[in-house]
């Protein structure tokens, strides 16, 4: 019967985790216990055997198959955002049912009116592309994101950490909020500097995002983690103010900055 | 360095750059495929599992926390998908009993010379939880801590399961005269 402590030491030895003293202790034990010595030899052989199994190359078409499945099953993330906004819009229409009818009627009248003014679109008329010439420029390689700024803000019972990263064309704000759920978070920025592009959160609830040209607001934002992506319009320093509110009362705010980038 | 590149690829994917996710697939398809293959031992199943892993990863990329290593995160999805797949197939397998007998004659062993097959047969005799630990530790050289994160169990449990899995594998391979 091998002592429990030496079974552990045997496995740790095989994994290369024993200290010099532990290895020496084990060697001394193995020299006096034939059963333990056999056990060690077997575990070592087993480990070598497993380690000798090579990784198998996946089939050549696997990558294509994976990417196709993504294209089929999921719309692009931009489309996700559009559908999320559409869903939010439909939700608001549900709330204001009376406006929904007025809107739908107006939309129908507008479409009919426009098509009449335009003379209607000719059915199945194809545009000739024979006169179009030229080359398309390939999009350049996407630069790795640079770290810009990071810091904490908060009050007694709510803490937040903000990290700004980005590239020449992109600004990424990672926001982690710890504390009461009743905290609202606002990000304020100049609309000439950045434009809001996409949003994701670790916990799906709450779904309470409000977007304006120069701000993004998340209601009941506590105990969650967010990633907000903006398209960058300005190459100068871009300040983003992050504020925490509770019942519209400001708890804390701080300005974070993304460094200027070359033109 | 690899971690920073991974995080950058994740950010780019979140920003709508599909090419970035393609790079993630290129980078991880081999290891994910191999996790699935060793967990399941059938190439077609491993392909299905790998496809499902990347679909899940793409779907939930927004929940990835950059403070963790991306490879641990995607391994975690891979192991969970493999475990789910194995559990779904379990009932069928119990009826099928299609797993090869691990008590071959000495002649058969001599003929095989197929290390991978011998190991796979041994692995398939382990419980899936034990199999996962052996796969992550021995084929992917992950530390106890990393395995703990991936399987969502304490490091102490990783050690005890790993040791008992090795012990079982040793017994089974010895029984089959595969360790001489």
């Amino acid at each position: 019967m091998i002592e429990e402590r030496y079974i552990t030491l045997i496995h740790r030895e095989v994994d290369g985790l024993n200290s010099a003293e532990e290895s020496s202790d084990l060697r001394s034990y193995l020299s006096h216990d034939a059963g333990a010595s056999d056990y060690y030899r077997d575990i070592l052989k087993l480990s070598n055997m497993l380690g000798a199994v090579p990784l198998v190359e996946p089939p050549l078409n696997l990558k294509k198959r994976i990417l196709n499945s993504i294209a089929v099953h999921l719309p692009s993330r931009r489309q996700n955002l559009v559908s999320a906004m559409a869903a939010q819009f439909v939700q608001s229409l549900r709330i204001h049912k009376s406006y929904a009818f007025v809107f739908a009627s107006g939309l129908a009248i507008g479409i009919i009116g426009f098509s009449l003014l335009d003379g209607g679109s000719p059915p199945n008329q194809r545009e000739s592309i024979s006169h179009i010439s030229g080359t398309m420029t390939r999009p350049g390689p996407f630069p790795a994101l640079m770290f810009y700024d990071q810091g904490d803000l908060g009050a007694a019972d709510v803490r937040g950490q903000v990290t700004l990263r980005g590239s020449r064309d992109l600004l990424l704000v990672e926001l982690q909020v710890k504390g009461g759920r009743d905290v609202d978070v606002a990000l304020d920025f100049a609309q000439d500097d950045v434009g809001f592009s996409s949003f994701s959160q670790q916990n799906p609830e709450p779904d309470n995002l409000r977007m304006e040209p120069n701000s993004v607001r998340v209601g009941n934002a506590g105990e969650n983690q967010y990633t907000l992506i903006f398209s960058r319009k300005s190459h100068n320093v871009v300040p983003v103010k992050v504020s925490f509110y509770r019942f519209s009362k400001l708890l804390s705010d701080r300005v974070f900055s993304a460094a200027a980038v070359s033109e | 360095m690899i971690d920073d590149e991974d995080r950058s690829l994740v950010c780019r994917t979140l920003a709508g750059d599909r090419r970035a996710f393609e790079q993630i697939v290129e980078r991880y398809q081999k290891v994910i495929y191999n996790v699935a293959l060793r967990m399941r031992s059938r190439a077609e199943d491993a392909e299905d599992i790998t496809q499902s892993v990347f679909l899940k990863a793409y779907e939930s990329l927004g929940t990835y926390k950059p403070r963790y290593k991306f490879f641990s995160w995607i391994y975690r999805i891979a192991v969970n998908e493999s475990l789910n797949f194995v559990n779904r197939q379990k009932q069928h397998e119990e009826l099928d009993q299609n797993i090869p007998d691990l008590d071959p004659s000495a002649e058969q062993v001599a003929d095989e010379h197929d290390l991978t097959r011998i190991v796979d047969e041994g692995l398939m005799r382990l419980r899936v939880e034990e199999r996962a630990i052996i796969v992550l530790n021995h084929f992917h050289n992950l530390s106890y801590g990393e395995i703990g994160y991936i399987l969502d169990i304490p490091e102490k449990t990783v050690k005890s399961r790993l040791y008992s899995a090795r012990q079982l594998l040793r017994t089974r391979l010895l029984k089959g005269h595969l360790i001489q």
Side-chain angles (χ1 to χ4, degrees):
Chain A
M1 187 71 182
I2 309 168
E3 280 180 44
E4 195 62 38
R5 173 176 130 72
Y6 286 103
I7 289 182
T8 303
L9 282 182
I10 285 170
H11 285 279
R12 284 176 55 86
E13 183 72 16
V14 168
D15 289 332
L17 297 173
N18 276 343
S19 66
E21 281 175 10
E22 287 169 329
S23 292
S24 159
D25 182 16
L26 177 65
R27 271 197 299 275
S28 157
Y29 180 79
L30 294 179
S31 65
H32 294 102
D33 188 320
S37 184
D38 285 349
Y39 182 79
Y40 171 68
R41 196 200 59 213
D42 286 349
I43 295 296
L44 189 63
K45 272 188 184 173
L46 175 69
S47 177
N48 291 338
M49 191 175 172
L50 294 171
V53 175
L55 287 185
V56 178
E57 284 298 329
L60 288 173
N61 65 347
L62 185 61
K63 183 182 136 193
K64 195 175 173 186
R65 188 179 148 184
I66 291 165
L67 296 173
N68 283 346
S69 75
I70 288 168
V72 168
H73 285 95
L74 298 166
S76 74
R77 297 201 165 267
R78 195 171 291 278
Q79 282 170 323
N80 277 342
L81 181 68
V82 172
S83 52
M85 288 166 74
Q88 211 167 25
F89 178 69
V90 169
Q91 183 68 30
S92 70
L93 286 181
R94 277 191 201 134
I95 295 164
H96 307 287
K97 280 180 184 167
S98 55
Y99 296 133
F101 177 73
V102 175
F103 175 80
S105 309
L107 189 65
I109 291 166
I111 291 168
I112 294 164
F114 182 77
S115 62
L116 287 174
L117 284 172
D118 194 37
S121 54
N124 295 329
Q125 191 176 343
R126 288 188 180 173
E127 189 73 29
S128 166
I129 57 167
S130 57
H131 61 283
I132 299 172
S133 63
T135 54
M136 285 176 71
T137 53
R138 280 167 60 105
F142 205 102
L145 295 186
M146 285 179 293
F147 173 81
Y148 289 135
D149 201 358
Q150 186 174 55
D152 299 323
L153 75 161
D157 60 344
V158 57
R159 303 294 309 162
Q161 189 185 57
V162 177
T163 306
L164 252 63
R165 298 175 208 273
S167 66
R168 198 173 163 278
D169 307 306
L170 184 85
L171 181 66
L172 185 115
V173 181
E174 290 162 293
L175 167 67
Q176 190 177 9
V177 185
K178 288 181 179 169
R181 292 194 65 122
D182 56 347
V183 175
D184 298 342
V185 176
L187 276 80
D188 294 289
F189 43 85
Q191 65 184 98
D192 294 337
D193 286 343
V194 288
F196 178 69
S197 174
S198 108
F199 168 87
S200 67
Q201 57 191 2
Q202 189 187 6
N203 301 323
E205 298 293 331
D207 189 8
N208 195 358
L209 177 73
R210 228 163 10 110
M211 292 167 284
E212 286 172 16
N214 55 1
S215 73
V216 174
R217 281 163 203 278
V218 187
N220 296 323
E223 293 301 343
N224 212 338
Q225 202 171 323
Y226 304 90
T227 305
L228 299 106
I229 297 172
F230 299 84
S231 58
R232 187 165 181 161
K233 299 175 189 171
S234 165
H235 295 130
N236 301 323
V237 173
V238 173
V240 176
K241 188 167 120 183
V242 180
S243 315
F244 286 359
Y245 293 91
R246 180 175 281 134
F247 306 121
S248 304
K249 184 187 165 196
L250 179 67
L251 298 176
S252 174
D253 64 2
R254 182 168 167 180
V255 177
F256 298 86
S257 299
V261 289
S262 55
E263 291 285 339
Chain B
M1 188 65 189
I2 294 275
D3 295 337
D4 289 343
E5 285 172 15
D6 282 343
R7 285 186 197 109
S8 165
L9 289 172
V10 170
C11 290
R12 286 167 50 192
T13 306
L14 288 170
D17 180 357
R18 280 241 170 113
R19 175 76 193 116
F21 194 74
E22 205 177 317
Q23 281 176 258
I24 291 177
V25 174
E26 274 167 19
R27 192 174 275 213
Y28 285 103
Q29 63 164 343
K30 186 173 175 180
V31 286
I32 300 301
Y33 176 75
N34 275 272
V35 169
L37 191 63
R38 295 288 160 253
M39 289 294 290
R40 192 57 203 135
S41 185
R42 279 218 292 253
E44 318 86 73
D45 293 346
E47 284 179 46
D48 288 345
I49 293 168
T50 310
Q51 180 181 327
S52 170
V53 168
F54 282 104
L55 196 60
K56 282 245 162 73
Y58 185 83
E59 215 170 10
S60 52
L61 209 55
T63 66
Y64 162 68
K65 296 175 195 166
R67 67 174 178 274
Y68 294 116
K69 288 177 179 170
F70 180 77
F71 84 81
S72 303
W73 184 78
I74 200 159
Y75 264 91
R76 194 175 188 161
I77 299 176
V79 171
N80 284 332
E81 277 301 293
S82 302
L83 292 176
N84 290 340
F85 193 97
V86 172
N87 287 332
R88 278 200 300 273
Q89 300 287 321
K90 216 173 192 174
Q91 197 180 359
H92 173 70
E93 278 184 2
E94 277 166 4
L95 294 171
D96 192 19
Q97 287 297 313
N98 202 21
I99 306 169
D101 189 4
L102 249 192
D103 196 8
S105 67
E107 290 78 17
Q108 278 176 313
V109 174
D111 286 340
E112 278 173 358
H113 285 299
D114 186 347
L115 178 67
T116 306
R117 202 165 87 199
I118 292 168
V119 167
D120 277 350
E121 286 174 9
L123 283 175
M124 290 307 126
R125 293 276 166 170
L126 297 178
R127 289 190 300 128
V128 281
E129 296 82 7
E130 294 162 344
R131 205 184 305 162
I133 290 185
I134 290 282
V135 167
L136 294 174
N137 181 258
H138 285 282
F139 300 135
H140 297 269
N141 300 317
L142 299 188
S143 69
Y144 298 162
E146 286 164 337
I147 296 172
Y149 167 75
I150 289 166
L151 297 175
D152 202 16
I153 53 176
E155 209 174 304
K156 206 176 158 188
T157 312
V158 173
K159 285 181 202 170
S160 64
R161 283 195 194 165
L162 175 66
Y163 300 169
S164 74
R166 279 176 180 165
Q167 220 154 315
L168 282 168
L169 206 50
R170 167 188 177 249
T171 310
R172 281 170 183 162
L173 294 181
L174 275 177
K175 185 187 161 205
H177 312 291
L178 300 171
I179 296 181
Q180 299 290 323

